[in-house]
Amino acid sequence: MTVTTLDEQMMRLAVDTAVDARLRSRPNPWVGAVVVATDSQVFCGATLQPGEAHAEVVALQAAGTNTHGATLYTTLEPCSHTGRTGPCTQAIIDAKISRVVVGVLDPDKQVAGNGIKQLQDAGITVDVGVEQSLVAQQLAPYLHHRRTGRPYVILKMAMTLDGRVAMPDSSQWITSETARKRVHQLRAESDAILVGAGTVRTDNPSLTTRDVHGPSPRRVVLGTVTPTDKVHPCLEWTGSLANLLDTLGSEGVIQLMVEGGPRVATSFHNEQLINQYVFHLAPIVAGGSESPNALAASTDMSSMMNGHIVSTQVLDNDIEIILEPIFTTMKEPQ
């Protein structure tokens, strides 16, 4: 049995508290915070909608008069600047918190250590790095966007056990209704969704979030489509993928979900632009050679990718595998 410290337990609670904030806080990070009072009472808070209170302030408000001498746990370094709201650091100082425990530093140039410094200058003890890996995983899209200026790219593909993305007659779903609902959850967590013009011509998808409660992402099409296609309004893109990511990142897109066919998937894969692969495997063996592979064939070893499995879960009769790449040289913006 793993023995955890109080700091680890409270940071995990902060992570759990932040889960629901993912669908409402963007473009702000989805942060969780916990106040532990001197009498051991625990108060939780998560980031609200843009323009409303950040997680630390929500937790402080929940604690009320119990903040004097308390410890505040927050998954991300508190902001130290005035944006839509005032700086969280000042709210923490005013609440007379004695100690702040931070999961990860905020790479945003407006924060980037300044939040820690302001708290320390006010005489508050600050500890950084508790459950850092867990927090970094939860905030991965935000951290990537702030570090690179580009959205975090996830590729979702449904396939058979032998790697086919469609049946020979192209008339049946590969995965179950449960897996398809999970796809809508991924859409709701993404700021934009991308497909190729070929997918639009073949399937005429709307690419909305229908099966879960959450916002529908902005729609992007590689190529051009007709004015009557359901995907409108959308961005029709004919330039390079690198320039697309730079453009979307500058417009506040934190996570981009790629849901196109093999050609689109292969283009992102070969340019090493995918941060996370989400594979939905159905208990089907297609057989034969008529059905397309998940990724187009390559003539050399340059497209081979090593990765590590982040998570797996059963979706009714299907299996979801989330894989993150291990590239020796991950391509960065120029």
Side-chain angles (χ1 to χ4, degrees):
M1 182 177 64
T2 301
V3 178
T4 59
T5 66
L6 178 61
D7 282 353
E8 291 168 334
Q9 292 174 15
M10 292 301 101
M11 188 60 72
R12 291 180 186 182
L13 178 58
V15 168
D16 291 340
T17 303
V19 170
D20 291 339
R22 178 75 181 269
L23 299 184
R24 66 171 181 257
S25 67
R26 302 190 312 265
N28 293 330
W30 39 103
V31 177
V34 174
V35 172
V36 179
T38 55
D39 62 359
S40 299
Q41 289 188 81
V42 175
F43 306 91
C44 300
T47 307
L48 300 179
Q49 298 179 79
E52 298 183 5
H54 292 183
E56 300 91 332
V57 173
V58 175
L60 291 172
Q61 291 173 344
T65 59
N66 296 290
T67 60
H68 192 116
T71 297
L72 171 72
Y73 297 84
T74 179
T75 55
L76 184 68
E77 177 183 4
C79 68
S80 53
H81 62 286
T82 299
R84 294 187 180 95
T85 63
C88 291
T89 49
Q90 191 59 53
I92 294 169
I93 294 168
D94 292 344
K96 300 189 183 304
I97 293 289
S98 65
R99 178 173 177 249
V100 174
V101 181
V102 177
V104 296
L105 296 177
D106 190 341
D108 189 298
K109 290 184 291 186
Q110 298 181 92
V111 187
N114 289 326
I116 301 298
K117 184 177 186 303
Q118 284 189 16
L119 295 175
Q120 290 175 331
D121 288 347
I124 297 174
T125 300
V126 181
D127 294 304
V128 181
V130 174
E131 293 289 359
Q132 181 173 339
S133 296
L134 180 64
V135 173
Q137 181 179 348
Q138 183 179 60
L139 288 170
Y142 170 80
L143 299 174
H144 175 81
H145 178 266
R146 290 301 192 269
R147 288 168 180 153
T148 68
R150 289 180 170 182
Y152 186 86
V153 178
I154 64 170
L155 170 71
K156 192 283 303 181
M157 299 204 80
M159 65 183 72
T160 64
L161 291 178
D162 51 347
R164 307 292 184 172
V165 296
M167 301 305 292
D169 62 4
S170 300
S171 64
Q172 73 176 79
W173 291 100
I174 290 179
T175 53
S176 66
E177 182 178 346
T178 301
R180 295 196 295 275
K181 185 174 181 179
R182 165 65 172 149
V183 171
H184 283 239
Q185 178 187 352
L186 291 171
R187 289 180 181 179
E189 293 176 354
S190 300
D191 303 287
I193 183 171
L194 179 147
V195 297
T199 293
V200 175
R201 287 192 296 269
T202 301
D203 300 331
N204 194 21
S206 60
L207 302 179
T208 57
T209 303
R210 302 181 300 277
D211 294 341
V212 299
H213 176 70
S216 292
R218 177 181 175 184
R219 291 168 285 193
V220 181
V221 177
L222 292 184
T224 59
V225 293
T226 64
T228 58
D229 288 322
K230 294 179 183 178
V231 74
H232 286 292
C234 68
L235 169 64
E236 299 172 71
W237 186 266
T238 57
S240 72
L241 296 182
N243 288 342
L244 172 62
L245 295 186
D246 290 335
T247 298
L248 292 177
S250 68
E251 295 172 353
V253 174
I254 294 175
Q255 179 166 295
L256 171 67
M257 180 177 179
V258 177
E259 205 177 329
R263 289 184 180 180
V264 170
T266 301
S267 296
F268 275 88
H269 173 81
N270 286 347
E271 292 193 37
Q272 298 183 12
L273 297 175
I274 301 170
N275 299 101
Q276 192 174 84
Y277 296 73
V278 181
F279 295 122
H280 286 175
L281 301 179
I284 299 171
V285 177
S289 59
E290 298 83 5
S291 302
N293 288 313
L295 297 176
S298 176
T299 57
D300 56 42
M301 297 290 288
S302 63
S303 63
M304 179 176 287
M305 182 210 77
N306 291 322
H308 67 273
I309 294 176
V310 175
S311 66
T312 62
Q313 67 171 318
V314 176
L315 302 171
D316 194 9
N317 206 28
D318 307 312
I319 297 175
E320 177 184 84
I321 299 176
I322 297 183
L323 183 77
E324 290 184 350
I326 303 173
F327 289 117
T328 53
T329 54
M330 186 73 176
K331 291 193 175 180
E332 297 288 350
Q334 298 298 315

